[in-house]
Amino acid sequence: MKQIYFDNSATTKLDEEVLKEMLPYLEENYGNPSSIYQIGRANRKAVEEARERIAKALNSEPNEIYFTAGGSESDNTAIKGIAYHYKEKGNHIITSKIEHPAVLETCKQLEKEGFEVSYIGVNQDGILDLEEFKKAIKPSTILISVMFANNEIGTIQPIDEIGKMAKENKIFFHTDAVQAIGSVAIDVKALNIDALSFSGHKFYGPKGIGGLYVRKGVIFDKLIQGGHQERNKRAGTENVPGIVGMGKAIELAYEKLEEHNQKIKELRDYYVQQVKEKIPYIRINGDMEHRLPGNSNISFRFIEGEGLLLNLDLKGICASSGSACTSGSLDPSHVLLAIGLPHEIAHGSLRISIGKYNTKEEVDYLVESLVEIVGRLREMSPLWEEFIEKGEMK
């Protein structure tokens, strides 16, 4: 069965050009970049060239880029590293209720260590409440951490305004930009961002490699002890093939950003319109204007998201659910609950994330499959039967 991939927010297919650039560092150029002999020096040069590519994409300086194993490590390093170093100045951190677990769980851990964390709410479209945000700032606030774009509903936050607010109040500002890099143009200087997390596999690069931008002058404590790699901020032999691949991937992403975004957004809007026309009793989650181009999150009433996913999988379609059932939890997405969805509707949500390799024919097949599957699952649902008996169909 042909597999059709609509889960690009989870990970993306490795670009062939990226793989081609990585291969020499998986084969003949295998030296340790910390070594002084020729193949070591060649790898060190490749690492620094990738650092320059990433810095150019973000409008930062190369020495402000640090390599990590991925977005989660970058989030942990930024939040804990800054909090630990500046704890004598204050112990208060502000974040949002819809952050990725890599941020939320890190903040919960810091609370156990004596830090105070304010979790700011969002409106029904997933946009941060800036008034509540302003009220949360206090003299002891040392760090703000707000994601650039949400991984579930695609909402893009008012990063510019948050950055200005942080700068005016002399508070460090970190943003988890894992979902945004490669889809949104980001200028860390113009946006007053002090630290920014990203991960290669979200923009057609390799897995297991990520990065952290930290503005020059911002000090953060290292979390991994050992060697003196990454200017003594992250111990461990550098993942040279991954770093090279991520450098190439971010360069490719921003070379054709507008072209790819236009194509992806058109497919996304076409998909949403088709679903609205062909399937009743749905709810579109997230702001449709301030949103990642390929993201769609729709709740289908009277069904479970897990059943929807399994049936799509039987048709060769890869997608994601608003329900966390498949990860071992019976609770629906914390993001969907934060925007006000009741549990029963949040459980029936489907996230479709369209990428540069998807086609209109694949979208048509997805919609056709959804019409069939949603109809069948509703017929099996006691909630649907009760809904009909009450005459609400009329």
Side-chain angles (χ1 to χ4, degrees):
M1 182 188 297
K2 181 182 177 182
Q3 195 168 69
I4 300 177
Y5 191 75
F6 281 114
D7 202 16
N8 289 279
S9 291
T11 194
T12 53
K13 179 182 178 181
L14 187 67
D15 190 291
E16 289 184 6
E17 288 187 56
V18 172
L19 175 60
K20 184 178 179 181
E21 193 138 336
M22 291 172 64
L23 283 175
Y25 300 93
L26 290 165
E27 298 172 336
E28 64 267 21
N29 294 345
Y30 51 83
N32 188 317
S34 297
S35 302
I36 62 172
Y37 39 74
Q38 186 175 349
I39 58 173
R41 295 197 308 271
N43 276 5
R44 170 54 55 194
K45 182 181 179 183
V47 167
E48 296 312 317
E49 286 176 350
R51 204 186 306 275
E52 289 174 5
R53 281 171 158 174
I54 294 166
K56 181 180 179 182
L58 299 177
N59 191 29
S60 72
E61 302 302 320
N63 63 4
E64 295 175 317
I65 303 297
Y66 300 85
F67 294 118
T68 69
S72 292
E73 184 190 336
S74 295
D75 286 340
N76 272 261
T77 301
I79 297 170
K80 290 180 181 177
I82 292 173
Y84 291 155
H85 189 82
Y86 292 97
K87 62 184 177 182
E88 297 303 320
K89 291 188 174 182
N91 71 335
H92 182 231
I93 298 167
I94 303 175
T95 188
S96 85
K97 293 180 179 179
I98 64 168
E99 297 297 309
H100 188 276
V103 169
L104 292 177
E105 293 302 318
T106 298
C107 287
K108 288 177 184 178
Q109 177 60 38
L110 287 174
E111 285 183 290
K112 294 177 183 177
E113 298 175 27
F115 287 87
E116 180 188 358
V117 182
S118 295
Y119 299 91
I120 306 303
V122 294
N123 65 19
Q124 63 181 4
D125 291 323
I127 302 292
L128 195 70
D129 186 334
L130 290 180
E131 287 305 311
E132 183 183 351
F133 199 95
K134 290 176 185 176
K135 292 177 183 177
I137 294 175
K138 56 179 70 175
S140 59
T141 306
I142 55 171
L143 176 65
I144 291 168
S145 182
V146 172
M147 66 193 335
F148 206 109
N150 187 263
N151 52 303
E152 292 191 35
I153 59 175
T155 300
I156 297 173
Q157 297 298 342
I159 296 298
D160 186 17
E161 295 179 62
I162 297 170
K164 288 177 183 176
M165 196 185 310
K167 186 176 181 180
E168 288 169 0
N169 290 277
K170 298 181 180 179
I171 300 168
F172 295 115
F173 176 35
H174 164 255
T175 183
D176 175 346
V178 169
Q179 290 293 330
I181 294 287
S183 294
V184 181
I186 298 176
D187 183 329
V188 292
K189 293 178 182 177
L191 294 171
N192 296 302
I193 295 170
D194 295 304
L196 177 145
S197 305
F198 54 96
S199 187
H201 72 109
K202 302 293 187 176
F203 45 90
Y204 310 96
K207 297 177 181 64
I209 184 66
L212 176 65
Y213 154 79
V214 181
R215 180 175 58 79
K216 186 178 180 180
V218 178
I219 306 173
F220 62 100
D221 289 357
K222 64 189 293 185
L223 302 188
I224 301 177
Q225 307 299 322
H228 301 285
Q229 291 89 351
E230 293 305 290
R231 300 185 298 289
N232 200 31
K233 286 299 186 181
R234 200 267 187 182
T237 301
E238 295 91 341
N239 174 4
V240 179
I243 290 170
V244 169
M246 184 167 66
K248 180 63 174 179
I250 201 167
E251 184 178 73
L252 290 173
Y254 284 104
E255 277 180 358
K256 300 180 179 178
L257 182 67
E258 291 186 11
E259 177 186 336
H260 285 157
N261 279 355
Q262 182 63 29
K263 175 204 168 185
I264 291 168
K265 184 179 182 298
E266 286 177 1
L267 282 178
R268 192 274 312 277
D269 291 346
Y270 173 72
Y271 160 73
V272 171
Q273 188 58 38
Q274 289 296 300
V275 170
K276 286 169 65 177
E277 291 177 3
K278 297 181 179 181
I279 304 177
Y281 308 108
I282 65 167
R283 184 190 191 280
I284 297 171
N285 303 315
D287 189 287
M288 286 304 294
E289 181 182 356
H290 305 288
R291 191 188 196 105
L292 293 173
N295 175 280
S296 169
N297 189 303
I298 299 177
S299 294
F300 298 86
R301 293 183 64 188
F302 314 110
I303 65 171
E304 290 284 345
E306 189 173 24
L308 183 57
L309 279 186
L310 292 172
N311 277 273
L312 285 171
D313 184 47
L314 291 173
K315 290 181 172 291
I317 298 171
C318 303
S320 176
S321 174
S323 165
C325 297
T326 51
S327 63
S329 170
L330 295 177
D331 295 327
S333 156
H334 70 285
V335 175
L336 298 182
L337 295 182
I339 64 173
L341 264 65
H343 280 62
E344 64 273 14
I345 294 181
H347 266 304
S349 299
L350 180 73
R351 181 188 72 180
I352 293 296
S353 42
I354 295 169
K356 68 180 183 179
Y357 296 116
N358 289 121
T359 66
K360 183 175 180 294
E361 289 72 26
E362 290 177 337
V363 172
D364 285 334
Y365 177 65
L366 169 62
V367 174
E368 175 188 319
S369 300
L370 281 174
V371 170
E372 176 198 333
I373 294 167
V374 171
R376 178 158 36 86
L377 290 178
R378 281 177 174 171
E379 288 177 358
M380 299 166 59
S381 168
L383 292 174
W384 177 252
E385 186 176 339
E386 181 182 349
F387 183 68
I388 295 173
E389 287 178 356
K390 287 181 178 179
E392 295 187 41
M393 287 284 290
K394 299 177 182 177

